Amino acid sequence: MATTPNAATPTDFTVSPRSWLRRWTGADEIAHFITLVAAAALLLIAVLLVYQLWTLSAEARAKFGWSFFITKTWDPVAGDFGALPFIYGTLVTSAVALFIAVPLGVGAAIFLAELAPPKLSSSLTFVSDLLAAVPSVIYGLLGVFLLVPVMRTTVQPALKKTLGFLPLFRGPSYGIGFLTAGIVLAIMIVPFVLSVSREVLLGVPRDQREAALALGATKWESTWKVVVPAARIGIFGSVFLALARALGETMAVTMVIGNNPKIAASLFSPGYSIASVLANEFSEATGNLYLSALIELGLVLFLLTFVLNGLARLLILVTTARGSGVLPT
Amino acid sequence: MRIVKVLSLFAVLLAVATFAAAAGQVLLNAAGATFPYPMYSKWFDVYHQAHPGIQINYQSIGSGGGIRQLIDKTVDFGASDGPMNDDQLKQSSVPILHFPTVLGADVPSYNVPGVSAELNFTPEALAGIFMGKITKWNDPAITSANPGVKLPSDDIVVVHRSDGSGTTYIWTDYLSKISPEWQKNVGKATSVNWPVGLGGKGNEGVAGLIEQTPDSMGYIELIYAIQNKIAYGRVKNSSGAFVKADLASVSAAAAATAKFMPDDFRVSITNPEGKAAYPIASFTWLLIPAKFGDSAKRDAVKDFLKWMLTDGQQYCEGLSYAKLPKEVVAKETKAIALIQ
């Protein structure tokens, strides 16, 4: 460990050992070392996590191989396990959640940062931050007792009537399922999108707004064509933070998704997500293969988060390379 | 994650153990089933008051977790709603003894708008509904057992437990016994591959879904139903009588199987003989290693078991748990000698 702080400051590479020692006594070096340990610990935790998931899932990986990803059965009695319905459920509920939360969150952020009077803006932001702090089981209970009956009796029949030609909105309405889980998730992640997006929008330099206005742009044109593009990367960042939360959400989803490992085109159908099945079955799983399959599901969730985050970075790279280059400096 | 968890648990245990040893106390750690937790916690508490030198710590982490920790030797004894299977027994380096403690039962609960009568369910109807073969409330398999009740032609919404649980074990164990098709396609376990239905987490999740969803039916733990005043139906037993679950009919089920009780107590009492017996019931077990390295711990466990089978029984019914039949108590008392 003692040599690593050295490696992190390239300028120190060539200095003699004596001056290196002298520098070590400086407060800067101590601060450097402490923060580096903190950063290294973070990396170490992630590596240990993957290592544990990898070794403990050995039995399931050996038995099912890649077919784990495309098998649709989950049968603890017969010892036949596949991740596909859970991957599907996780992706679908997260997609529904983003579909609702992104326009809502970004729209609200633009209003609060650009248009609203400062007093209203700060009080609404406070409310949104409060929403982010509500425990997820509360959202789950609200979902079960308030949202589910409304979904079953009003929303789903209305969707069936108007958009029933799409396979997404067909089948019996139980009130619980992909759509309801997605809506509950959306409510949970809106504060993330809103909070971060608002901060980023507020961070866009005042000069840019004034320049746009000076060129004859209206207030809305300056917001939409100058400020929002400038804050784009930060807004993307807020969306990915929200996505990560949606992918891993457990309790609230379990309570409203229906917990049935099924792949159905209809959003009204009950489904299952990776995090939910882990929460449901881990404590009672007895067989070694069963346990190891559940742990492999954890690994799959990790992988899914990793891949989606990678895609997100790629998206940012592509769009910024092609973009107007209006970036806050 | 697991390493860290185990290590921290170990550190805590070590600290507590040293403290206890210094005070001349015996500290027993146990983990397992959640269903009998209120009963166990009462027993361990009352026992500790009578024997201040012995303290039993019980963590209700689930039967599966209890069995795993027992095999890994991170606890002194375990508890489970389903007996350990032969594979699990082989994994343990020490032979494990099963001691039935109390009885649990599952009841069919339903929400059919316009029907307030207590419905009767035949085994065929239950198996058919949960297999997805019987899909309408006015199916002859249901209506023939309920003369005079007008059932709608609506689709049945099946609700089951989504979390692994002893409740599911009892229900699927029963369905496996009465339906060869269920036995072949689904089987019995704490979690199964359900042919149909929605999953609710915990008894409260299932009860909530049933309450919220018209035309639904599912199964819940008897004690949960009693404590929350949830209505439930009768089930036809092997003698042809429709029996409503209560402490007496569940005890009757245990008594009916007492004479067939195997020496290791790993017995299923679903679908028993006897006119008064409720057919969907089960024991829950303490899992005790046959050999203890520490003689103080061994004596404490033996003494606790003796107390549980005698004085401890008076606390059962106050908490809505059915008592063990006398025959089983006698047999268990003998089995305590096997702990060395």
Side-chain angles (χ1 to χ4, degrees):
Chain A
M1 265 305 179
T3 55
T4 30
N6 211 10
T9 44
T11 45
D12 283 356
F13 268 127
T14 50
V15 283
S16 71
R18 215 176 307 145
S19 74
W20 178 82
L21 255 180
R22 201 170 54 236
R23 294 211 54 185
W24 246 104
T25 56
D28 265 9
E29 290 303 307
I30 294 170
H32 185 148
F33 179 71
I34 291 172
T35 47
L36 183 94
V37 167
L42 210 62
L43 186 70
L44 191 73
I45 290 170
V47 169
L48 270 180
L49 186 65
V50 174
Y51 173 77
Q52 275 288 305
L53 290 174
W54 182 261
T55 46
L56 291 175
S57 64
E59 194 173 339
R61 280 187 292 110
K63 173 127 196 245
F64 303 115
W66 290 107
S67 73
F68 189 68
F69 286 91
I70 49 164
T71 308
K72 281 196 269 185
T73 37
W74 183 265
D75 190 340
V77 181
D80 194 6
F81 299 105
L84 193 61
F86 305 106
I87 297 175
Y88 179 81
T90 306
L91 290 177
V92 168
T93 48
S94 300
V96 171
L98 285 188
F99 186 79
I100 300 168
V102 169
L104 212 61
V106 174
I110 292 174
F111 175 75
L112 293 181
E114 299 292 314
L115 309 169
K119 253 192 190 159
L120 182 68
S121 172
S122 58
S123 51
L124 275 180
T125 310
F126 177 68
V127 171
S128 146
D129 288 349
L130 272 185
L131 282 181
V134 173
S136 63
V137 65
I138 304 287
Y139 283 109
L141 286 170
L142 285 176
V144 170
F145 291 106
L146 292 178
L147 188 60
V148 167
V150 175
M151 291 297 289
R152 189 184 61 243
T153 53
T154 319
V155 179
Q156 294 188 344
L159 279 173
K160 239 186 271 188
K161 216 178 265 172
T162 50
L163 295 166
F165 57 91
L166 292 170
L168 287 179
F169 304 107
R170 280 182 202 163
S173 350
Y174 300 118
I176 61 176
F178 292 121
L179 185 62
T180 313
I183 292 175
V184 170
L185 274 179
I187 298 170
M188 296 175 69
I189 64 177
V190 157
F192 287 78
V193 179
L194 195 153
S195 253
V196 179
S197 297
R198 178 178 162 274
E199 290 300 323
V200 178
L201 287 168
L202 286 175
V204 174
R206 214 181 147 71
D207 312 0
Q208 298 212 1
R209 292 187 184 96
E210 284 170 359
L213 293 174
L215 287 172
T218 61
K219 176 86 181 162
W220 176 248
E221 280 171 334
S222 117
T223 301
W224 188 245
K225 294 197 173 149
V226 177
V227 180
V228 173
R232 191 177 45 203
I233 292 183
I235 294 176
F236 274 137
S238 78
V239 172
F240 298 128
L241 188 69
L243 175 65
R245 171 101 207 251
L247 287 173
E249 178 46 48
T250 309
M251 276 314 291
V253 172
T254 305
M255 294 171 94
V256 292
I257 198 172
N259 301 314
N260 187 338
K262 206 160 96 170
I263 295 178
S266 170
L267 291 179
F268 298 166
S269 156
Y272 222 148
S273 80
I274 297 179
S276 307
V277 73
L278 289 178
N280 273 326
E281 298 191 0
F282 197 82
S283 64
E284 289 285 338
T286 40
N288 284 342
L289 181 67
Y290 187 12
L291 201 62
S292 135
L294 282 169
I295 291 167
E296 190 176 358
L297 268 185
L299 192 65
V300 169
L301 184 59
F302 201 90
L303 199 73
L304 208 63
T305 321
F306 193 76
V307 167
L308 285 175
N309 258 312
L311 285 178
R313 306 260 146 178
L314 206 67
L315 186 73
I316 292 179
L317 270 182
V318 170
T319 51
T320 47
R322 200 199 46 182
S324 54
V326 207
L327 290 171
T329 44
Chain B
M1 268 312 255
R2 197 146 164 236
I3 280 185
V4 174
K5 239 188 192 163
V6 170
L7 279 181
S8 57
L9 188 74
F10 189 71
V12 170
L13 290 185
L14 204 67
V16 173
T18 7
F19 179 75
Q25 269 206 333
V26 181
L27 179 80
L28 292 165
N29 286 295
T34 47
F35 152 69
Y37 175 64
M39 188 71 251
Y40 290 174
S41 120
K42 174 90 182 168
W43 274 343
F44 297 152
D45 185 41
V46 174
Y47 183 75
H48 175 62
Q49 279 166 18
H51 305 77
I54 301 171
Q55 175 140 24
I56 305 174
N57 259 336
Y58 184 78
Q59 297 186 1
S60 59
I61 56 171
S63 304
I67 291 173
R68 274 205 306 278
Q69 294 216 0
L70 182 65
I71 292 173
D72 295 344
K73 295 215 165 93
T74 47
V75 290
D76 296 311
F77 61 93
S80 173
D81 290 339
M84 286 171 75
N85 62 31
D86 294 340
D87 274 353
Q88 289 164 345
L89 286 174
K90 258 182 235 146
Q91 281 173 37
S92 171
S93 56
V94 182
I96 305 288
L97 303 170
H98 287 67
F99 284 89
T101 51
V102 283
L103 290 149
D106 288 2
V107 295
S109 176
Y110 47 84
N111 170 5
V112 189
V115 175
S116 53
E118 254 171 31
L119 291 182
N120 292 328
F121 292 96
T122 60
E124 299 73 35
L126 288 177
I129 291 169
F130 277 80
M131 271 315 283
K133 295 277 162 69
I134 294 173
T135 57
K136 305 271 185 201
W137 275 108
N138 64 354
D139 191 285
I142 306 173
T143 51
S144 61
N146 295 285
V149 181
K150 185 151 173 39
L151 287 159
S153 61
D154 297 318
D155 284 335
I156 302 172
V157 180
V158 174
V159 184
H160 55 75
R161 286 283 286 268
S162 62
D163 49 331
S165 85
T167 312
T168 298
Y169 183 88
I170 300 173
W171 191 256
T172 53
D173 180 48
Y174 173 69
L175 291 180
S176 295
K177 274 197 195 162
I178 50 123
S179 158
E181 193 189 2
W182 184 275
Q183 160 106 41
K184 181 166 161 284
N185 294 323
V186 186
K188 59 176 175 182
T190 52
S191 294
V192 298
N193 184 18
W194 294 96
V196 287
L198 310 172
K201 188 165 165 57
N203 280 309
E204 63 285 1
V206 171
L209 274 179
I210 294 173
E211 192 190 322
Q212 300 244 343
T213 318
D215 302 312
S216 60
M217 86 154 283
Y219 58 91
I220 43 183
E221 222 307 306
L222 171 64
I223 293 166
Y224 185 85
I226 292 175
Q227 285 172 347
N228 293 282
K229 304 195 170 47
I230 295 168
Y232 52 90
R234 284 180 286 252
V235 180
K236 188 171 153 184
N237 66 16
S238 63
S239 313
F242 285 98
V243 179
K244 192 164 179 195
D246 53 28
L247 298 188
S249 64
V250 171
S251 275
T257 31
K259 54 177 181 273
F260 310 112
M261 179 66 86
D263 288 337
D264 63 0
F265 296 102
R266 288 193 294 154
V267 66
S268 152
I269 60 165
T270 49
N271 205 28
E273 288 174 3
K275 257 192 127 39
Y278 181 71
I280 317 177
S282 173
F283 287 115
T284 175
W285 293 264
L286 282 181
L287 309 169
I288 314 273
K291 277 200 179 69
F292 278 88
D294 180 340
S295 63
K297 282 187 176 181
R298 178 198 62 205
D299 295 341
V301 167
K302 289 174 89 155
D303 189 58
F304 169 74
L305 287 174
K306 261 182 216 134
W307 177 86
M308 176 196 91
L309 292 168
T310 50
D311 295 350
Q313 291 293 308
Q314 60 183 298
Y315 301 103
C316 291
E317 294 192 335
L319 291 168
S320 316
Y321 289 89
K323 279 205 279 197
L324 293 172
K326 281 193 200 71
E327 302 87 330
V328 179
V329 170
K331 202 171 163 96
E332 282 189 64
T333 311
K334 270 187 220 152
I336 294 176
L338 295 174
I339 304 172
Q340 283 163 356

